[in-house]
Amino acid sequence: MNLELSKKGLAIEPSVTLAISAKATALKNAGEDIINFSVGEPDFNTPKNIQNAGIEAITSGITKYTPASGTPNLKAAICKKLEEDNGLIYKPSEIIVSNGGKHSLYNALMAILNEGDEVMFSIPYWVSYPELVNIAGGKPVMIKTLEENGFKFSSSELEANRTSKTKAIIINSPSNPTGAVYSREELEDIANWAVKNNIIVISDELYEKLIYDNKDHVSIASLNEDIKDLTILINGVSKAYAMTGWRIGYTAGNEKIIKIMSNIQSHTTSNPSSISQHASIEALSGNQDSLLNMKKEFDKRRIQMADLINSIKGLSATLPEGAFYIMLNYSQLKGKEVEGTLINSSLDFSNLLLDKCKVAVVPGIAFGDDNYVRLSYATSLENINTGLGRIKDLLGSK
Ligand code: PLP
């Protein structure tokens, strides 16, 4: 084709995590014995009670358009959830349901940003944050965080990067890719700074239900009324209820912002699937046992994966507090050769693991930090033992 296509569209990078997952799946489908640690979704099926609610929606005719911003019944279930789990009181007019958490984030950024407005978030970041900010005309400002600080920033780093253009920050707790969980005190520090400087906090709480060691999830919006007014709370059913394919995310926030998001959504995607919305009511309001069982399984795998990584020569990992990912630090191997392959980058190291061990991981450069690769433990203990066993055979024991 000999036409000039959209400059804005051409500037968008493809999602590296999805690309690597696809490569690993293609190799597997071609008969290779691949252990895939690159996936970003639970390996469990959607719980039976939620499946049945979806079937009920289809057979009982809940198959038509719904209000563009979501059904009153699902909004009511979300309000109830936010009150019971997070101590937050929202009205239905302060809620919008979208096609997954990613869509919620997109709508939120489209609703608040003007050209050149800055949005701060940490490195390592979730892959889509930079591009979502770019698409909405904003400018990503990334704050490098360190493993020894739990991959978290504080108000002093935010203040050091604040300019007259700073419009918002994104906090992702628990975090993809690091598993970092911000404590109440850390959130208070950030909330005080945000209120003082009148800065919006986008709080991505998709992994809320996956926090280990009896730690609690704190939503920054729950700290006081001032920060609640500045917070755009994003959550969804994808990760907690193994519902990644159903595409339901939601946003709670100031009515003015929710209204703009609803208007954008009404002209772009309209309502999220009526069937998925009906099933999500069951997810949020029904029996929660399956969620607890999944969390128990993730916890065992988390500990096993971290222990195994820390037993391999040249590798290390800090035990993450939430989500289902581990950042594996391979930096001791940088500049060295392993079986004839020179390791200079996270991409080199990921390719080495795929070629020599048939293990798929995500290079840290996808999250802005080249000293790591990300492993997901949303896979069986058996796969964790086999995959890390192969890496140990390649690199040796400590
Ligand atoms: N936020 C984070 C940190 C995520 O990891 C993901 C999914 O990978 C999302 C948001 C989006 O979730 P959804 O699948 O509901 O769009």
Side-chain angles (χ1 to χ4, degrees):
M1 183 182 285
N2 189 18
L3 278 171
E4 193 194 9
L5 302 178
S6 154
K7 290 190 182 77
K8 211 170 175 182
L10 285 167
I12 300 166
E13 300 280 342
S15 164
V16 181
T17 45
L18 293 184
I20 287 173
S21 236
K23 185 175 166 189
T25 308
L27 284 169
K28 199 166 187 154
N29 290 344
E32 296 269 15
D33 178 19
I34 300 286
I35 301 285
N36 193 352
F37 293 143
S38 73
V39 285
E41 62 183 345
D43 53 321
F44 303 104
N45 272 339
T46 303
K48 205 85 210 155
N49 61 319
I50 304 173
Q51 293 178 20
N52 287 339
I55 293 166
E56 180 191 85
I58 295 171
T59 53
S60 66
I62 304 178
T63 49
K64 308 271 199 258
Y65 289 135
T66 76
S69 64
T71 63
N73 286 348
L74 178 53
K75 287 187 187 178
I78 292 166
C79 288
K80 189 158 170 278
K81 180 259 171 238
L82 290 169
E83 182 173 359
E84 287 173 1
D85 290 0
N86 311 106
L88 285 162
I89 309 283
Y90 285 101
K91 295 182 286 207
S93 57
E94 295 170 316
I95 307 286
I96 168 173
V97 184
S98 303
N99 296 283
K102 196 179 271 190
H103 187 217
S104 305
L105 284 159
Y106 170 79
N107 282 337
L109 289 161
M110 290 296 283
I112 62 169
L113 294 184
N114 287 310
E115 209 61 38
D117 281 351
E118 294 177 0
V119 181
M120 287 195 246
F121 50 86
S122 60
I123 295 173
Y125 47 76
W126 178 49
V127 276
S128 291
Y129 292 151
E131 293 303 0
L132 283 167
V133 172
N134 284 330
I135 292 167
K139 181 178 164 215
V141 174
M142 305 177 202
I143 301 176
K144 171 110 176 114
T145 60
L146 301 174
E147 189 175 350
E148 52 265 40
N149 298 332
F151 292 114
K152 290 184 265 192
F153 55 58
S154 68
S155 64
S156 52
E157 283 123 308
L158 292 170
E159 183 58 19
N161 286 279
R162 185 172 65 85
T163 72
S164 59
K165 287 276 185 193
T166 306
K167 186 67 157 285
I169 63 168
I170 305 176
I171 296 182
N172 177 213
S173 175
S175 152
N176 174 9
T178 67
V181 175
Y182 281 80
S183 69
R184 178 177 293 275
E185 293 70 33
E186 289 163 341
L187 291 174
E188 269 163 2
D189 164 57
I190 293 168
N192 290 341
W193 171 86
V195 170
K196 183 173 164 207
N197 296 294
N198 203 26
I199 286 166
I200 290 172
V201 176
I202 299 175
S203 182
D204 178 344
E205 305 182 15
L206 261 286
Y207 293 91
E208 168 192 16
K209 295 292 179 190
L210 298 173
I211 299 187
Y212 311 101
D213 298 329
N214 295 321
K215 293 215 171 76
D216 286 330
H217 170 74
V218 179
S219 173
I220 192 165
S222 69
L223 295 177
N224 60 59
E225 281 303 311
D226 290 339
I227 191 65
K228 181 174 175 237
D229 190 46
L230 283 170
T231 301
I232 303 178
L233 188 161
I234 311 267
N235 207 330
V237 295
S238 301
K239 313 290 177 169
Y241 299 97
M243 291 177 73
T244 45
W246 297 74
R247 310 310 302 133
I248 294 291
Y250 59 86
T251 309
N254 183 296
E255 213 168 297
K256 284 189 197 159
I257 295 175
I258 299 297
K259 186 146 192 276
I260 303 173
M261 290 175 68
S262 301
N263 289 343
I264 293 169
Q265 184 160 303
S266 72
H267 289 295
T268 48
T269 60
S270 287
N271 63 276
S273 152
S274 57
I275 299 152
S276 300
Q277 289 193 69
H278 188 69
S280 297
I281 298 174
E282 176 62 23
L284 295 175
S285 320
N287 189 303
Q288 303 288 302
D289 285 354
S290 44
L291 186 159
L292 297 175
N293 290 337
M294 286 191 263
K295 185 169 131 171
K296 240 188 245 165
E297 275 308 302
F298 281 135
D299 193 13
K300 279 189 231 155
R301 299 161 174 191
R302 168 183 79 117
I303 291 165
Q304 179 75 350
M305 188 175 251
D307 282 352
L308 285 172
I309 291 170
N310 286 316
S311 73
I312 300 173
K313 208 157 131 191
L315 306 185
S316 67
T318 304
L319 189 65
E321 297 183 305
F324 43 68
Y325 309 100
I326 292 191
M327 288 298 262
L328 181 160
N329 186 335
Y330 75 95
S331 60
Q332 285 180 46
L333 299 178
K334 261 191 166 175
K336 298 198 173 134
E337 254 188 42
V338 178
E339 291 205 355
T341 306
L342 183 62
I343 311 293
N344 270 332
S345 68
S346 60
L347 205 52
D348 291 344
F349 187 62
S350 304
N351 278 327
L352 176 84
L353 297 186
L354 197 53
D355 294 344
K356 304 273 191 235
C357 307
K358 303 277 178 264
V359 168
V361 302
V362 183
I365 196 66
F367 315 106
D369 196 329
D370 208 29
N371 283 331
Y372 297 86
V373 294
R374 189 197 73 178
L375 275 64
S376 157
Y377 49 90
T379 187
S380 67
L381 270 178
E382 192 191 341
N383 281 344
I384 290 171
N385 290 335
T386 307
L388 285 153
R390 289 184 197 168
I391 299 175
K392 197 177 214 167
D393 288 344
L394 178 73
L395 299 175
S397 298
K398 270 187 185 149

